[in-house]
Amino acid sequence: MRVGELSKRSGVPIPTIKYYLREGLLPAGAATAANQADYGEEHLRRLLLIRALIDVGGVSVAAAREVVAALGAHADDPLELLSAAQTAVTPRHRPDRETPEWHTAKQRVLDLIAERGWLVYPLSPEIDLVADALAAGGSLGVTELFDNLGRYADSAASLAAVEVRTVLDRPDPAARMELVVLGTVLGEALFSALRLLAHQHESARQIGIPDAPPQKNPETAQ
Amino acid sequence: MRVGELSKRSGVPIPTIKYYLREGLLPAGAATAANQADYGEEHLRRLLLIRALIDVGGVSVAAAREVVAALGAHADDPLELLSAAQTAVTPRHRPDRETPEWHTAKQRVLDLIAERGWLVYPLSPEIDLVADALAAGGSLGVTELFDNLGRYADSAASLAAVEVRTVLDRPDPAARMELVVLGTVLGEALFSALRLLAHQHESARQIGIPDAPPQKNPETAQ
DNA sequence: TCAAGTGGATAGTGTAACTATCTACAGCGG
DNA sequence: CCGCTGTAGATAGTTACACTATCCACTTGA
């Protein structure tokens, strides 16, 4: 197929497809002439994957490129791929990490990891992200994040156990590697939204149920 | 205090503080002269809150403005504030939602909510976000997200129950409202990072533990 | 034949989040 | 009261990102 059809089937505009080709997110099609190339189903699939990462997962174009590169480079090593996928979806840091409060927070995270015997790469940027959240809360007097850290870790562990099991249940290795990436990114989007919905439900339940759920337009109230 | 001190104590550069003032994220200080104003502790606290939202939570400046506005506007109604905070941290949609696959996915989410009796605002954008993730997975043949939706919901529900209880345990109403916002945003950042760490652990555990965790630099391997 | 479509290159657009300067003027040690 | 630092407020400039838009010399298919 040529770009026109690729565009129609994927829903991605042609200029955007060209942009992804330039940026190396999408491999070039097989050239049949100086200005003609042929794309296959794998290009369509790759394009859908890219759009899932960008539109649903909210990752940057640069990060999406890293992810698909890792998909190609680590076709045999799930741990390497997982590492690459996590690095790509992990935001660059901006907070100040030189304060003593931050180091206290980081130590708290390292303690948590040690006492649970978690097997994690000790230099994972995610460790610092947890410390960032704890430190930011701490600077505003929010000790609840520290207090609940164990519960957060319990939830994360049980969720991760299911997700990893699900990935490993896939028989085909290539499909499994793709699920590593999609599970990491789409699972995040899915869970985040469900958590917010669960907040609504639990708030209504624990506070007491109002006549109607919160309305955006107050004029419908009375 | 004047901007200089506010900047030093918060770690935010003076031009950025001025920018936040212009954008309405930070209320103006009490003017003492044509070119002098006085800021108090509440300005510092507000600034730390804004930076927590932006740097750690990754929300946009515009969204942060909405959140702090809601904090002021709904000082008495936690459900309204929760709704505003969620709307602010919920990304704008880009995926195509007109396909039949998407509507199937959305119906699946509505069924889940109905069968669990979740009390959620039926027009919540988060419902569409869940459908987005399911549909994106579905277009790539990932049925696992559908299969595990119930487990995701279980995890989200138990996490939300703890978080809402924690917020309601705060005696002071003003502090409680602040925790609604910080819990929504920082809790998300905290949990996301922990989930990734848990993925590393579970992968290593279920696949089999290699000699060393994944290395970024292969030259240290041998 | 010939309009529609294409690959590749280059340039332009719009938004977001700052960052820099400029202009008075205030505060304060000497 | 001199002069230096430090403002507040206004305006303009910068950087990064993710596209969009054109142009050109082709090729394709009716």
Side-chain angles (χ1 to χ4, degrees), chain A residues 31-137:
Chain A
T32 63
N35 61 341
Q36 297 290 289
D38 190 54
Y39 304 94
E41 293 300 317
E42 72 279 12
H43 290 94
L44 175 60
R45 189 173 178 78
R46 169 61 54 92
L47 198 48
L48 290 175
L49 174 66
I50 291 166
R51 289 308 277 212
L53 295 179
I54 292 176
D55 287 346
V56 181
V59 318
S60 69
V61 168
R65 178 177 48 224
E66 300 305 313
V67 170
V68 298
L71 251 184
H74 304 294
D76 50 342
D77 187 345
L79 289 180
E80 275 289 353
L81 177 60
L82 180 66
S83 174
Q86 292 194 355
T87 302
V89 302
T90 295
R92 301 285 149 258
H93 91 102
R94 276 179 298 185
D96 184 11
R97 289 174 169 166
E98 299 310 315
T99 67
E101 292 77 19
W102 189 84
H103 286 287
T104 304
K106 169 141 186 183
Q107 193 53 53
R108 180 79 177 76
V109 183
L110 293 175
D111 290 346
L112 176 89
I113 289 170
E115 78 201 14
R116 292 181 180 236
W118 275 13
L119 301 164
V120 303
Y121 180 60
L123 301 182
S124 296
E126 292 77 23
I127 296 175
D128 291 348
L129 291 184
V130 178
D132 287 342
L134 290 177

Side-chain angles (χ1 to χ4, degrees), chain B residues 66-108:
Chain B
E66 299 305 312
V67 170
V68 298
L71 251 184
H74 304 293
D76 50 342
D77 187 345
L79 288 181
E80 275 290 353
L81 176 59
L82 181 66
S83 174
Q86 292 195 353
T87 301
V89 302
T90 294
R92 300 287 149 254
H93 91 102
R94 277 180 299 185
D96 184 10
R97 289 174 169 165
E98 300 309 315
T99 68
E101 292 77 20
W102 189 84
H103 283 100
T104 304
K106 170 140 185 183
Q107 193 53 53
R108 180 79 177 76

Side-chain angles (χ1 to χ4, degrees), chain A residues 44-46 48-52 54-56 58-59 78-80 82-84 86-87 89-90 92 94-96 109 112-113 116-122 124-127 129-134 136-137 139-145 148-149 151-153 155-168 170 178-179 182-210 212-217, chain B residues 44-46 48-49 51-52 54-56 58-59 78-80 82-84 86-87 89-90 92 94-96 109 112-113 116-127 129-134 136-137 139-145 148-149 151-153 155-168 170 178-179 182-210 212-217:
Chain A
L44 175 60
R45 189 173 178 78
R46 169 61 54 92
L48 290 175
L49 174 66
I50 291 166
R51 289 308 277 212
I54 292 176
D55 287 346
V56 181
V59 318
L79 289 180
E80 275 289 353
L82 180 66
S83 174
Q86 292 194 355
T87 302
V89 302
T90 295
R92 301 285 149 258
R94 276 179 298 185
D96 184 11
V109 183
L112 176 89
I113 289 170
R116 292 181 180 236
W118 275 13
L119 301 164
V120 303
Y121 180 60
S124 296
E126 292 77 23
I127 296 175
L129 291 184
V130 178
D132 287 342
L134 290 177
S139 76
L140 285 156
V142 177
T143 55
E144 284 87 346
L145 292 177
N148 284 339
L149 191 56
R151 292 177 192 276
Y152 277 102
S155 273
S158 70
L159 187 60
V162 172
E163 292 183 302
V164 171
R165 166 70 23 225
T166 301
V167 167
L168 294 180
R170 276 212 171 180
E178 215 177 56
L179 190 56
L182 286 170
T184 299
V185 176
L186 293 186
E188 156 85 29
L190 189 62
F191 186 85
S192 294
L194 283 174
R195 171 175 171 267
L196 294 181
L197 290 173
H199 277 167
Q200 289 184 27
H201 169 60
E202 281 296 330
S203 298
R205 210 170 61 83
Q206 295 191 28
I207 290 176
I209 306 149
Q215 300 288 330
K216 316 283 175 181
N217 290 321
Chain B
L44 175 59
R45 187 172 181 80
R46 170 61 55 91
L48 290 175
L49 174 66
R51 290 307 277 211
I54 292 176
D55 286 347
V56 181
V59 318
L79 288 181
E80 275 290 353
L82 181 66
S83 174
Q86 292 195 353
T87 301
V89 302
T90 294
R92 300 287 149 254
R94 277 180 299 185
D96 184 10
V109 183
L112 176 90
I113 290 169
R116 291 181 180 237
W118 275 13
L119 300 164
V120 303
Y121 180 60
L123 301 182
S124 296
E126 291 77 23
I127 296 175
L129 291 185
V130 178
D132 287 342
L134 290 177
S139 77
L140 285 156
V142 178
T143 55
E144 284 87 345
L145 292 177
N148 284 339
L149 190 57
R151 291 176 192 276
Y152 277 102
S155 273
S158 70
L159 187 60
V162 172
E163 292 183 303
V164 171
R165 167 66 27 222
T166 301
V167 167
L168 294 180
R170 277 212 170 180
E178 215 178 55
L179 191 55
L182 286 171
T184 299
V185 177
L186 294 186
E188 156 87 29
L190 190 62
F191 186 86
S192 294
L194 283 175
R195 171 175 170 268
L196 295 181
L197 291 173
H199 278 167
Q200 289 184 28
H201 170 60
E202 282 296 329
S203 299
R205 209 170 62 82
Q206 294 192 27
I207 290 176
I209 305 149
Q215 299 288 331
K216 317 284 175 179
N217 290 320

